[in-house]
Amino acid sequence: MIRRILRGEKKQPLPIDKFVPSLSAKKLITKIFIDTAFWRRHWHCHCLPERSFSLNKRQFQICARCTGLAVGIIISPISLIASNTPSSLWQLLLLLFLLDGSTQALGLRKSNNSLRFVSGLATPMAIVRLALEKLIS
């Protein structure tokens, strides 16, 4: 890493082009995560290139974990539909987020963008589901 810095090399965002097959999906994702000014104004993220996704060689305005959080917030009502899912699974998903972020922050291990995205995605869904269970009981 130090050699890269000394040579002036930049770390690159992870391209997700191969995971987004249709042109219309690419346009939608580009509009939401790259072209809109919302993320820069209202979502405070470090936006490190090596922790971000890119599409068509353009970096997302938020990192992979924040992308997962944003998508998770949008689709969290799905967790309400999954009524047969035990609360222990939702607690485990929340624990995944806490372990992924804290062990990475403490330097105990390196995370990857896929795990960052999944842990970010699962967290809002788990919070909504666990909060609903507390309200009902």
Side-chain angles (χ1 to χ4, degrees), residues 10 13 16-17 29-30 35 50 57-58 60 63 70 73 75 82 93 121 129 132 135:
K10 286 185 169 181
I16 61 166
D17 299 61
I29 290 170
T30 300
D35 291 340
E50 67 273 12
K57 298 182 181 178
R58 295 180 61 204
F60 281 28
C63 70
I73 290 168
I75 67 169
L93 290 173
L121 178 70
R129 181 56 190 221
L132 182 66
L135 288 173

Side-chain angles (χ1 to χ4, degrees), residues 2 16 23 29 32 35 45-46 49 56 60 69 72 79 87 91 93 95 97:
I2 293 174
I16 61 166
L23 183 60
I29 290 170
I32 293 171
D35 291 340
C45 177
H46 56 71
N56 297 328
F60 281 28
L69 284 167
S79 66
S87 64
Q91 292 168 350
L93 290 173
L95 183 64
F97 178 78

Side-chain angles (χ1 to χ4, degrees), residues 18-127:
K18 63 182 176 183
F19 300 108
V20 184
S22 72
L23 183 60
S24 58
K26 286 182 181 181
K27 286 181 181 179
L28 180 64
I29 290 170
T30 300
K31 187 168 183 74
I32 293 171
F33 290 107
I34 298 172
D35 291 340
T36 184
F38 170 82
W39 303 112
R40 289 279 184 207
R41 287 187 193 145
H42 304 291
W43 195 290
H44 303 288
C45 177
H46 56 71
C47 305
L48 295 174
E50 67 273 12
R51 293 186 185 173
S52 300
F53 293 125
S54 70
L55 187 61
N56 297 328
K57 298 182 181 178
R58 295 180 61 204
Q59 181 180 334
F60 281 28
Q61 292 188 23
I62 53 177
C63 70
R65 188 172 288 125
C66 289
T67 302
L69 284 167
V71 172
I73 290 168
I74 294 166
I75 67 169
S76 61
I78 292 172
S79 66
L80 302 176
I81 297 169
S83 59
N84 295 333
T85 310
S87 64
S88 58
L89 175 66
W90 298 110
Q91 292 168 350
L92 183 64
L93 290 173
L94 197 53
L95 183 64
L96 170 70
F97 178 78
L98 296 172
L99 286 174
D100 181 40
S102 60
T103 56
Q104 180 184 338
L106 293 171
L108 300 175
R109 63 174 193 80
K110 282 193 160 208
S111 188
N112 60 53
N113 285 345
S114 300
L115 182 56
R116 287 184 190 109
F117 178 78
V118 169
S119 68
L121 178 70
T123 300
M125 294 173 65
I127 290 171

